[in-house]
Amino acid sequence: MRSNLWERRLGDSESNNKPDRTIDGVSYPGIIKEKEVAQQQYQRAVSRGQTAGLVKASGRKTEKFSVSVNIAAASKVTFELTYEELFKRTFGKYELYLKVNSKQLVNKFEIEADIFEPQGISYLDVEGTFLTNDLLPLVKKSFSGKKGHVSFSPTIDQQRSCENCTTSLLQGDFIIKYDVNRDSPSNLQIVNGYFVHFFAPKNLPHLPKNVAFVIDVSGSMWGQKIGQTRTALKTIVEDLKEDDHFNFILFESSVTAWKDQLIKATPENVKEAKEFIGNITDHGMTDLNGGLIKGIEMLNKAHESGSVPERSASLVIMLTDGQPNVGESSVSAIQENVKNATQGRYPLYNLGFGYDVDYGFLERLARENSGLARRIYEDSDADLQLQGFYDEVANPLLTEVALQYPENAVSDLTQNSFKHFYDGSEIVVAGRIMDNDLKSIIAEVNAQGAENEVTFTEQADVEETVKAFEEQMYIFGDYIERLWAYLTVQQLLEKRSTATGDEKSNLTAQALEMSLKYKFVTPLTSMVVTKPEDADNETAIADKPQEVDADPHFIIAVPQKEDALCFNINEDPGVVLNLVRDPVTGIIVSGQLIGDKKSSNDAGPQNTYFGKFGIVNTRLDLRLEITTEEIIVQNGIKQTKFKWLDEVILRQPGFTLIIKRKKSVEVSMDDGARFLVVLHQVWKKHPLHRDFLGFYTLDSHRLSEQTHGLLGQFFHPIDFSILEVHPGSDPEKPDATMIVKNNQLVVTRGWQKDYRNDAQHGVNIPCWFIHNNGEGLIDGIHTDYIVPSIF
């Protein structure tokens, strides 16, 4: 047995949410749990010497995580991590960074990227720090219309650092850069009741800017750090435009300013500034509070005196490598002082040089003042990092940006007001659409520009937007909803970092609830992967009912094996299948299939789902019809109708019905049968999918031994054996030989969704998949279970 730990840094807007582990040829999906619960489950598995994995956020935010792995003796383990990323646009392009560090020659090394952008791709390029003249021709890139493709696949010999070397050239960054067509300043995407608004206007005149550079020159900045700071500042002042205003405020044990006020960036002043920068030296302690207050007061005076343009963008850029230790050293007091000084007028950008800074404090300080923090790593390129950050904020185009949407039609907006908008960047806002009958959505953006107040209006037709995305089906489902959820969780965590008391508790609870619901690894949650013999997984399998849901897939729990079997039934819309039939108790359950809406570009077989269930109890003269629209109870000659909008508990002799509004119907019979029907609602304007139902048996212990049907036959114990696990056609899903009911079948390891407790996202249940409509597992063939009607 051995344990390993490694760390991975994601981009600031990445979120990892799907690790799977293949243990001895069998795949097990990761499960998101509260951080402490996941840690306990992982430790239990480790203490037993079992293979297990734990993924957790290792910082205050979600962009850095650690992976702990414990490998049981004589086990073979493959770990696969899938993550999602919201690209951040900077300098007019999106960038995907791939860190490559193979450390050895790889038999099959391949990078392949497929890009789909509804607006169309305008630019695509690839850079790599390790791409030599010999490797460059191996990079293949192309784009046309909405689609782009990049591939890089060097042979072993092409990877070698020299002709006979065993070391690899492939160490460094592989960067894919692209941008989209921007025919209008805004792009609205609307899918499944959620929308996202991308705002990135172009060809606007630049605003003059007023910058207070607040620089730490304490003794800890000595050597390379102060030298790199001088180099970066000289380059930055050279980039200032003549209508910009600036000043330098230096802080150590005391605070000094280069000039008494902000001055214009004339060639003469820039030359003098470079001479001043060249003479900056390090000494003393760190009066961070004094430096910031001095810089903010200088901006305040400049605006009060009218010495800077009325239409201009003012900001504070502060660089420090340590913690406050002279003057005001309480971080909470400094936060309060700075907040009172800025009064929300100027964004504060904090640059933390190295690892001796209290980076959490710098983040809170910046966030409370409409800015952000950035870590500058102590390395040979630190001066370039400083310049790179400045370049992001060097060209303000708009101030006081507010994005507005129809009040009664949308809710739960993510952040929709911003102090500044910079050239080459992008603002992203997401929200929930409340009006299901909404035919179009109008987004209005108001801001202050270089010459006047500006307004941008974008209207998107819901139906047209849906059709535009039909080409690339991954955009459907919960893509935009997850983007909204990710932004919301990030902003809840940011607010939580500066909150106290009940407010902090409430924000923590909200962020935790959403992290668990959407399966995000955050500082509040972790993802754990263990084999089913773990106690938690044993319980999950033991409690698992027999069920059928979605397209339609059947899941058969086999508690004595601590495992599950699954199969699909492929039939045409309108077909009725018998699920449960007990001649002794008189209980019968059947379901009718429905299909997707027809699509003009869908030439393949149509997906089917259950759209109607009939539940009969002949002893009680009871019929229950459940559709996606209503629930009809027929008791003798008496008929009662309910809608899914109702919240109902109906008790009659021998029968109980519980309707949970827009979620589920639970049916209990005194004969010992308890069933659950789950409602799946999709966006009513979805071009393909429609509402459907899932069926779960919660209790069947009093049904007779004569019970049969596609599900009912599995209410009795079933045994099987798995032999010869081996790679299948899908490298993520191994095949095996199964012996069941005296049949020898080829089966595939995978998982299906259980939607009992979460109708939208479900929980992955590992299972062995039986092909060909369950042939060899079910008695007879699937067409034997087709019946004329649900009653």
Side-chain angles (χ1 to χ4, degrees):
M1 182 180 73
R2 67 180 186 273
S3 295
N4 293 301
L5 170 69
W6 71 90
E7 290 194 332
R8 159 81 159 96
R9 172 172 286 276
L10 295 175
D12 284 348
S13 22
E14 295 180 33
S15 139
N16 75 82
N17 66 340
K18 187 191 170 187
D20 302 316
R21 190 179 302 281
T22 301
I23 305 173
D24 297 328
V26 180
S27 295
Y28 301 95
I31 300 172
I32 297 287
K33 295 190 175 184
E34 196 168 350
K35 198 167 190 175
E36 292 74 18
V37 175
Q39 181 72 38
Q40 291 168 9
Q41 180 173 330
Y42 174 73
Q43 290 297 344
R44 282 198 302 271
V46 172
S47 66
R48 298 172 187 158
Q50 297 170 351
T51 297
L54 181 70
V55 181
K56 61 182 180 181
S58 56
R60 288 180 54 258
K61 299 200 295 183
T62 58
E63 78 274 10
K64 186 177 181 182
F65 67 90
S66 62
V67 181
S68 302
V69 179
N70 188 74
I71 303 175
S75 292
K76 181 180 178 181
V77 175
T78 301
F79 182 83
E80 178 181 330
L81 178 69
T82 303
Y83 66 88
E84 298 170 300
E85 177 178 0
L86 172 61
F87 285 170
K88 180 182 177 183
R89 187 172 184 259
T90 54
F91 307 122
K93 56 186 175 295
Y94 303 101
E95 294 186 348
L96 172 62
Y97 278 85
L98 298 173
K99 295 287 185 182
V100 179
N101 189 9
S102 63
K103 294 187 178 180
Q104 63 185 26
L105 303 176
V106 180
N107 281 329
K108 186 179 180 182
F109 181 96
E110 186 173 21
I111 294 174
E112 190 160 353
D114 289 301
I115 303 168
F116 174 81
E117 286 289 350
Q119 292 168 261
I121 298 170
S122 63
Y123 159 85
L124 175 63
D125 198 9
V126 177
E127 295 178 3
T129 56
F130 56 83
L131 290 178
T132 63
N133 290 334
D134 292 331
L135 290 177
L136 271 174
L138 303 179
V139 177
K140 308 297 182 185
K141 58 185 180 183
S142 62
F143 69 94
S144 177
K146 300 177 182 179
K147 296 181 180 180
H149 182 77
V150 172
S151 64
F152 174 62
S153 182
T155 65
I156 281 190
D157 286 339
Q158 289 167 331
Q159 295 171 41
R160 298 182 193 276
S161 55
C162 63
E163 187 174 351
N164 296 313
C165 291
T166 57
T167 53
S168 175
L169 283 170
L170 309 185
Q171 296 187 42
D173 297 334
F174 188 88
I175 308 163
I176 299 173
K177 303 180 178 184
Y178 76 92
D179 199 19
V180 300
N181 295 321
R182 298 188 183 274
D183 298 327
S184 73
S186 293
N187 176 248
L188 280 164
Q189 300 179 11
I190 310 163
V191 174
N192 287 354
Y194 291 82
F195 78 90
V196 61
H197 180 195
F198 298 98
F199 176 68
K202 59 181 182 179
N203 301 324
L204 294 177
H206 290 182
L207 281 160
K209 62 182 178 293
N210 316 306
V211 190
F213 294 99
V214 181
I215 309 298
D216 183 350
V217 293
S218 61
S220 58
M221 286 284 290
W222 71 279
Q224 179 173 262
K225 282 192 284 190
I226 198 70
Q228 291 174 320
T229 300
R230 285 194 295 257
T231 300
L233 290 177
K234 287 180 180 179
T235 303
I236 287 169
V237 296
E238 287 177 349
D239 185 62
L240 291 170
K241 298 173 179 62
E242 195 160 344
D243 55 358
D244 292 338
H245 288 72
F246 73 109
N247 201 354
F248 294 101
I249 296 90
L250 310 181
F251 66 91
E252 25 93 10
S253 298
S254 59
V255 178
T256 58
W258 172 47
K259 298 291 184 181
D260 293 335
Q261 60 184 5
L262 294 181
I263 65 169
K264 203 169 183 181
T266 62
E268 296 77 20
N269 288 337
V270 167
K271 181 180 179 182
E272 185 182 345
K274 290 173 66 178
E275 292 173 358
F276 170 78
I277 293 166
N279 293 321
I280 291 176
T281 57
D282 55 272
H283 56 279
M285 300 177 73
T286 309
D287 184 6
L288 185 148
N289 180 77
L292 277 174
I293 298 302
K294 181 77 171 176
I296 295 164
E297 287 176 347
M298 200 163 283
L299 284 172
N300 288 340
K301 289 177 182 176
H303 282 277
E304 289 166 6
S305 66
S307 62
V308 295
E310 182 180 352
R311 290 193 173 277
S312 58
S314 296
L315 57 150
V316 180
I317 298 178
M318 192 271 287
L319 169 70
T320 183
D321 77 330
Q323 301 181 35
N325 54 23
V326 68
E328 182 57 76
S329 58
S330 165
V331 295
S332 58
I334 294 172
Q335 284 178 234
E336 190 67 22
N337 293 342
V338 172
K339 192 174 182 180
N340 290 336
T342 65
Q343 292 290 309
R345 288 172 291 198
Y346 324 119
L348 168 61
Y349 298 103
N350 291 331
L351 305 179
F353 206 148
Y355 285 96
D356 293 330
V357 295
D358 182 348
Y359 192 67
F361 160 61
L362 295 183
E363 281 190 309
R364 292 192 299 273
L365 189 61
R367 191 175 302 120
E368 286 185 329
N369 294 279
S370 305
L372 57 84
R374 181 75 57 82
R375 192 185 294 279
I376 303 299
Y377 296 93
E378 291 187 51
D379 210 334
S380 58
D381 69 343
D383 55 329
L384 298 179
Q385 296 177 54
L386 288 167
Q387 293 168 39
F389 172 79
Y390 169 78
D391 289 343
E392 290 182 39
V393 298
N395 296 301
L397 300 181
L398 300 170
T399 63
E400 307 301 336
V401 185
L403 298 92
Q404 299 174 326
Y405 309 91
E407 282 187 20
N408 299 325
V410 303
S411 68
D412 300 319
L413 286 176
T414 58
Q415 181 184 348
N416 65 324
S417 62
F418 303 85
K419 291 301 293 181
H420 292 171
F421 173 77
Y422 298 102
D423 193 12
S425 67
E426 182 176 61
I427 289 174
V428 182
V429 178
R432 193 197 300 254
I433 295 176
M434 301 301 292
D435 183 357
N436 285 330
D437 296 321
L438 192 69
K439 291 184 168 53
S440 65
I441 184 170
I442 298 175
E444 184 174 286
V445 184
N446 297 298
Q448 299 295 329
E451 298 167 354
N452 49 31
E453 184 174 343
V454 293
T455 298
F456 303 90
T457 302
E458 182 79 9
Q459 181 170 352
D461 182 273
V462 174
E463 300 276 2
E464 290 301 317
T465 303
V466 167
K467 290 177 183 176
F469 292 140
E470 218 175 311
E471 182 179 348
Q472 192 75 14
M473 285 309 299
Y474 78 81
I475 205 78
F476 286 109
D478 58 1
Y479 162 72
I480 289 179
E481 181 183 352
R482 288 183 62 77
L483 188 155
W484 164 81
Y486 173 77
L487 290 175
T488 302
V489 169
Q490 287 287 77
Q491 290 166 20
L492 287 170
L493 291 173
E494 289 175 358
K495 291 177 183 176
R496 171 180 176 267
S497 70
T498 57
T500 57
D502 290 344
E503 183 188 5
K504 184 165 189 171
S505 299
N506 291 335
L507 290 168
T508 300
Q510 291 177 58
L512 175 60
E513 181 184 4
M514 289 193 71
S515 299
L516 292 171
K517 178 178 180 179
Y518 290 96
K519 299 177 176 59
F520 294 144
V521 174
T522 70
L524 305 176
T525 56
S526 297
M527 184 171 284
V528 63
V529 190
T530 57
K531 293 182 71 173
E533 57 259 37
D534 180 89
D536 288 349
N537 284 342
E538 287 174 8
T539 303
I541 291 173
D543 291 345
K544 183 74 180 67
Q546 321 296 15
E547 64 183 70
V548 56
D549 211 327
D551 46 356
H553 62 247
F554 290 71
I555 304 180
I556 310 302
V558 188
Q560 67 271 25
K561 289 286 190 178
E562 299 169 6
D563 212 338
L565 308 176
C566 52
F567 59 93
N568 291 353
I569 295 295
N570 301 309
E571 268 298 340
D572 295 329
V575 168
V576 180
L577 297 169
N578 175 246
L579 304 178
V580 180
R581 180 181 296 274
D582 182 3
V584 176
T585 63
I587 293 176
I588 303 169
V589 181
S590 298
Q592 186 175 41
L593 297 175
I594 59 172
D596 272 339
K597 302 171 186 176
K598 290 291 186 181
S599 174
S600 58
N601 58 7
D602 184 9
Q606 190 177 13
N607 292 328
T608 54
Y609 315 85
F610 279 108
K612 181 189 295 184
F613 287 114
I615 301 175
V616 176
N617 189 321
T618 56
R619 285 186 173 184
L620 299 176
D621 194 16
L622 175 73
R623 289 187 175 190
L624 183 66
E625 181 178 340
I626 303 175
T627 73
T628 59
E629 299 292 332
E630 60 185 359
I631 301 99
I632 304 173
V633 181
Q634 184 83 36
N635 200 337
I637 62 172
K638 181 182 178 182
Q639 185 182 87
T640 308
K641 291 186 178 183
F642 302 100
K643 295 291 186 181
W644 279 100
L645 292 173
D646 296 326
E647 191 90 17
V648 173
I649 299 179
L650 175 67
R651 289 189 174 93
Q652 297 181 358
F655 165 70
T656 301
L657 179 78
I658 302 173
I659 302 175
K660 291 186 178 179
R661 185 176 184 269
K662 298 174 69 174
K663 289 185 178 179
S664 62
V665 174
E666 185 176 317
V667 182
S668 299
M669 309 282 189
D670 282 352
D671 299 293
R674 190 158 61 98
F675 307 121
L676 183 74
V677 176
V678 173
L679 173 66
H680 297 270
Q681 289 186 307
V682 301
W683 189 35
K684 65 184 295 185
K685 296 181 184 294
H686 198 293
L688 294 180
H689 304 322
R690 64 174 85 234
D691 295 352
F692 63 94
L693 303 171
F695 180 83
Y696 297 78
T697 58
L698 304 181
D699 184 2
S700 60
H701 75 281
R702 288 190 182 177
L703 296 183
S704 76
E705 292 185 358
Q706 297 180 44
T707 302
H708 209 265
L710 275 171
L711 277 181
Q713 64 188 288
F714 299 107
F715 294 169
H716 320 302
I718 183 172
D719 193 22
F720 65 89
S721 299
I722 293 293
L723 309 172
E724 303 171 359
V725 177
H726 57 275
S729 57
D730 185 339
E732 298 181 12
K733 298 178 180 180
D735 286 348
T737 299
M738 173 182 286
I739 306 298
V740 60
K741 294 184 178 180
N742 295 320
N743 296 318
Q744 182 172 307
L745 310 175
V746 175
V747 295
T748 301
R749 189 63 177 182
W751 51 84
Q752 295 285 12
K753 292 280 190 181
D754 178 341
Y755 294 98
R756 273 179 303 165
N757 299 318
D758 185 350
Q760 191 166 15
H761 304 97
V763 174
N764 284 331
I765 301 296
C767 62
W768 289 105
F769 183 81
I770 291 84
H771 301 272
N772 301 321
N773 294 302
E775 186 174 344
L777 172 66
I778 63 174
D779 294 338
I781 57 176
H782 79 279
T783 53
D784 296 339
Y785 300 86
I786 296 177
V787 292
S789 71
I790 61 171
F791 296 125

